[in-house]
């Protein structure tokens, strides 16, 4: 049979296989291994330093001529950072690879990248649309012009222990000139900007097509706010993670200069006054709001959101301990059936105010996704009171709700006929029989996250006629000197023997993920 199948046909088949089948395919024979590698379009490698790294990596990459997406990460083991010469050599291997002309996405986090390496990369990988790299200081960004197709750019500014290179570095990139470019960037992520960094003003002025902006662990914006406002006009999504010193000013500029914002995420930053000003004066039709503000968000902010963002579709609150039921009820009444996703993660108001979930459920009957994770004191009757009203749920996450019991699973079966995803990891009161009952009687269920010791053999194979696959936590394939992370194995219904054998190798893993269909 193998000789009947030509190389082209096998490669076409391999391209259509799910990633979880890769390890099995590569073990059949050398021919299949060669054809599988030559047909792969995506590859992720974690590089483990050793004396033969460069020739081995070069040889390995040469066996993947069809790659369009490549990710190279440094070893997770504590070890000295790669030298500039090492990272330059690694990037030169990518630039000179057989797939360089077809490469569309590169995630290179094996060390800081030099300007000369980027120049070489732009010449060989001219079709790159997505680039994720680490840059040293001082910050120079004009090289972005060398990648005409680039749409998605992510930059991590590496920490520098040399005090002599700290401080403001004046760059002509921030000078007032007519040399601004009109870059095609649509998504930009910057990580680790210090308060004394400079040199990003030119980029802000040149990103007039920007749709998504992410700032993480930033103490500044790397330029003046007069430059920054140039990129705000068409923004649709903004994420600010651990950027407390700049959040207020960014939100102020958004409220004044952006009319297209529909998604905002703020984690661990911002003042009460700054947040309130934004919620009160923002002129955009905000549809998604994701906040993790333990000591900054209160009912006053929720009242402002209820008054100004009645088209809200997604609301996610994490660890917001100053919020009470009064604010949540006002918001629920304002948005009504338009809200489709609600997350109250580690918000003690869920446990503190009995009857709150029942009231929210009555106002939010169109909810499709509900996340109450880490509500450790949540009781069955409180959960049941919201489930009986939210009959359209397709996703329910209850991770870490330690006091829930099997009675909650019975309510899920009765009320939530459309459930596709369930997370009940660390729900210690839910027993294996209830898990099996949910799996066997939920025809639309596609994914459930639960401890392996709560999965019976019947649940693993799923005898209700729906194909079932079990995805343990990803593991590292032995014998791969690059530390390439293999995808978890999948097992079709009926292959009980193979499933049991493979599952024995994963007994040490805590959580299992079951994916149906």
């Amino acid at each position: 049979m193998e000789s009947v199948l030509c190389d082209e046909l096998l490669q076409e088949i391999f391209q259509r296989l799910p990633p979880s089948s890769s390890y099995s395919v590569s073990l059949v024979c050398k021919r299949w291994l060669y054809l599988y590698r030559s047909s792969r379009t995506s590859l992720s490698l974690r590089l483990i330093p050793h004396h033969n790294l460069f020739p081995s990596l070069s040889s390995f990459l040469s066996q993947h001529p069809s790659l369009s997406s490549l990710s190279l990460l440094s070893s997770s083991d504590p070890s000295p950072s790669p030298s500039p010469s090492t990272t330059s050599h690694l990037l030169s291997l990518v630039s000179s690879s057989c797939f360089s002309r077809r490469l569309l996405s590169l995630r290179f986090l094996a060390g800081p990248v030099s300007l000369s390496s980027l120049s070489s990369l732009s010449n060989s990988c001219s079709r790159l649309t997505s680039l994720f790299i680490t840059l040293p200081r001082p910050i120079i960004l004009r090289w972005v012009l060398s990648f005409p197709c680039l749409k998605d750019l992510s930059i991590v500014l590496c920490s520098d222990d040399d005090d002599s290179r700290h401080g403001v570095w004046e760059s002509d990139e921030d000078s007032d000139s007519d040399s601004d470019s009109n870059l095609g960037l649509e998504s930009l992520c910057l990580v680790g900007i210090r308060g004394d960094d400079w040199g990003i003003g030119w980029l802000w002025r040149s990103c007039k097509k920007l749709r998504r902006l992410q700032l993480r662990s930033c103490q500044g914006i790397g330029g003046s706010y007069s430059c920054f406002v140039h990129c705000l006009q068409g923004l649709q999504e903004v994420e600010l993670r651990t950027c407390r010193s700049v959040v207020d000013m960014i939100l102020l500029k958004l409220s004044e200069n952006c009319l297209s914002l529909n998604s905002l995420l703020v984690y661990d930053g911002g003042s009460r006054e700054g947040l309130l000003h934004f919620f009160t004066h923002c002129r955009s039709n905000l549809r998604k709001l994701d906040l993790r503000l333990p000591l900054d968000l209160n009912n006053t902010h929720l009242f402002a959101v209820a008054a100004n963002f009645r088209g809200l579709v997604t609301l996610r609150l994490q660890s917001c301990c100053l919020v009470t039921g009064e604010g949540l009820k006002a918001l629920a009444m304002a948005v009504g059936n338009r809200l489709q996703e609600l997350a109250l993660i580690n918000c003690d108001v869920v446990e503190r105010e009995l009857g709150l979930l029942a009231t929210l459920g009555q106002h939010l009957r169109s909810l499709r996704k509900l996340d109450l994770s880490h509500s450790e004191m949540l009781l069955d009757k409180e959960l049941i009171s919201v489930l009986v009203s939210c009959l359209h749920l397709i996703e329910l996450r209850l991770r870490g709700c330690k006091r829930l019991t099997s009675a909650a699973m019975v309510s899920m079966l009765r009320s939530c006929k459309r459930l596709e995803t369930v997370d009940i990891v660390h729900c210690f009161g839910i027993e294996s029989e209830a898990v099996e009952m949910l799996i066997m009687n939920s025809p639309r269920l596609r994914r459930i996250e639960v401890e392996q010791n709560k999965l019976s053999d019947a649940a693993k194979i799923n005898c209700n006629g729906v194909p079932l696959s079990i995805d343990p936590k990803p593991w590292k394939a032995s014998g791969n000197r690059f530390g390439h992370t293999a995808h978890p194995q999948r097992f079709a219904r009926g292959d009980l023997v193979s499933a049991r054998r493979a599952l024995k190798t994963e007994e040490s893993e805590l959580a299992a993920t079951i994916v149906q269909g």
Side-chain angles (χ1 to χ4, degrees), residues 25-89:
V25 167
S26 63
L27 294 178
V28 174
C29 62
K30 290 185 177 180
R31 179 187 175 217
W32 278 37
L33 174 61
Y34 169 78
L35 293 176
Y36 173 73
R37 287 180 174 176
S38 63
S39 65
R40 290 197 67 174
T41 59
S42 179
L43 181 65
S44 179
L45 300 175
R46 185 172 294 278
L47 304 177
I48 301 175
H50 60 91
H51 68 282
N52 205 31
L53 174 62
F54 296 134
S56 300
L57 179 60
S58 177
S59 174
F60 187 72
L61 292 179
S62 67
Q63 301 173 34
H64 298 78
S66 300
L67 284 183
S68 61
S69 177
L70 176 63
S71 178
L72 294 179
L73 311 176
S74 60
S75 172
S76 58
D77 298 330
S79 57
S81 300
S83 64
S85 60
T86 299
T87 55
S88 296
H89 197 168

Side-chain angles (χ1 to χ4, degrees), residues 8-171:
E8 293 77 8
L9 180 57
L10 278 174
Q11 287 179 320
E12 182 70 21
I13 293 173
F14 293 158
Q15 289 178 352
R16 296 175 183 270
L17 288 176
S20 55
S21 302
S22 61
Y23 186 66
S24 300
V25 167
S26 63
L27 294 178
V28 174
C29 62
K30 290 185 177 180
R31 179 187 175 217
W32 278 37
L33 174 61
Y34 169 78
L35 293 176
Y36 173 73
R37 287 180 174 176
S38 63
S39 65
R40 290 197 67 174
T41 59
S42 179
L43 181 65
S44 179
L45 300 175
R46 185 172 294 278
L47 304 177
I48 301 175
H50 60 91
H51 68 282
N52 205 31
L53 174 62
F54 296 134
S56 300
L57 179 60
S58 177
S59 174
F60 187 72
L61 292 179
S62 67
Q63 301 173 34
H64 298 78
S66 300
L67 284 183
S68 61
S69 177
L70 176 63
S71 178
L72 294 179
L73 311 176
S74 60
S75 172
S76 58
D77 298 330
S79 57
S81 300
S83 64
S85 60
T86 299
T87 55
S88 296
H89 197 168
L90 290 172
L91 201 56
S92 68
L93 293 180
V94 177
S95 301
S96 61
S97 62
C98 55
F99 53 80
S100 60
R101 291 297 176 185
R102 66 169 60 235
L103 194 63
L104 300 178
S105 176
L106 175 62
R107 187 167 180 253
F108 187 87
L109 297 179
V113 177
S114 66
L115 294 179
S116 59
S117 297
L118 286 170
S119 176
S120 175
L121 183 69
S122 65
N123 292 329
S124 58
C125 303
S126 57
R127 297 179 59 195
L128 270 181
T129 60
S130 178
L131 181 62
F132 193 158
I133 56 173
T134 300
L135 285 183
R137 292 179 171 85
I139 303 171
I140 300 176
L141 297 174
R142 293 268 182 180
W143 55 264
V144 179
L145 292 169
S146 303
F147 295 88
C149 299
L150 201 60
K151 300 293 183 183
D152 184 351
L153 175 63
S154 298
I155 297 175
V156 178
L157 298 175
C158 63
S159 58
D160 193 336
D161 295 331
D162 185 359
D163 292 339
S164 64
R165 298 180 64 180
H166 287 192
V168 176
W169 182 78
E170 294 288 351
S171 167

Side-chain angles (χ1 to χ4, degrees), residues 321-498:
C321 57
L322 300 182
V323 168
T324 70
E326 183 182 5
L328 290 172
K329 291 174 185 177
L331 185 54
M333 292 176 63
V335 298
N337 290 330
R338 289 179 290 273
L339 197 70
Q340 297 185 13
E341 179 179 355
L342 175 64
L344 300 173
I345 302 172
N346 194 29
C347 294
D348 57 359
V349 64
V350 174
E351 312 159 5
R352 188 174 63 241
E353 300 192 23
L354 300 180
L356 172 61
L357 290 180
T359 304
L360 295 180
Q362 293 169 6
H363 291 294
L364 306 174
R365 293 182 179 273
S366 296
L367 272 185
R368 295 174 60 81
K369 297 181 180 181
L370 178 62
D371 191 342
L372 301 174
S373 297
H374 305 295
S375 300
E376 296 186 358
M377 304 303 292
L378 180 63
L379 301 176
D380 288 336
K381 63 179 182 180
E382 293 297 312
L383 176 63
I384 293 172
S385 69
V386 68
L387 294 183
V388 295
S389 298
C390 301
L391 305 180
H392 302 286
L393 284 179
I394 62 172
E395 182 177 306
L396 180 60
R397 298 191 176 275
L398 303 169
R399 180 179 294 244
C401 296
K402 300 178 179 180
R403 299 194 64 179
L404 292 181
T405 70
S406 299
M409 306 295 280
V410 176
S411 179
M412 286 185 210
L413 280 175
R414 290 178 178 174
S415 303
C416 307
K417 303 292 186 182
R418 304 180 183 183
L419 273 182
E420 297 177 4
T421 301
V422 175
D423 182 351
I424 50 174
V425 174
H426 301 319
C427 295
F428 302 125
I430 297 178
E431 300 176 348
S432 58
E433 292 80 3
V435 175
E436 179 179 335
M437 176 184 63
L438 179 67
I439 293 174
M440 308 293 281
N441 295 281
S442 301
R444 297 195 180 189
L445 193 63
R446 293 294 175 265
R447 183 181 183 89
I448 181 170
E449 298 182 41
V450 65
E451 291 88 349
Q452 283 201 42
N453 59 14
K454 293 184 180 180
L455 292 175
S456 64
D457 287 341
K460 292 171 184 175
I461 304 303
N462 192 4
C463 300
N464 64 3
V466 179
L468 178 76
S469 59
I470 301 177
D471 287 356
K473 185 178 179 180
W475 49 282
K476 289 187 178 180
S478 58
N480 192 325
R481 63 178 68 115
F482 305 117
H484 171 46
T485 301
H487 289 276
Q489 300 182 48
R490 300 193 175 196
F491 309 98
R493 177 180 59 86
D495 194 5
L496 177 59
V497 175
S498 298

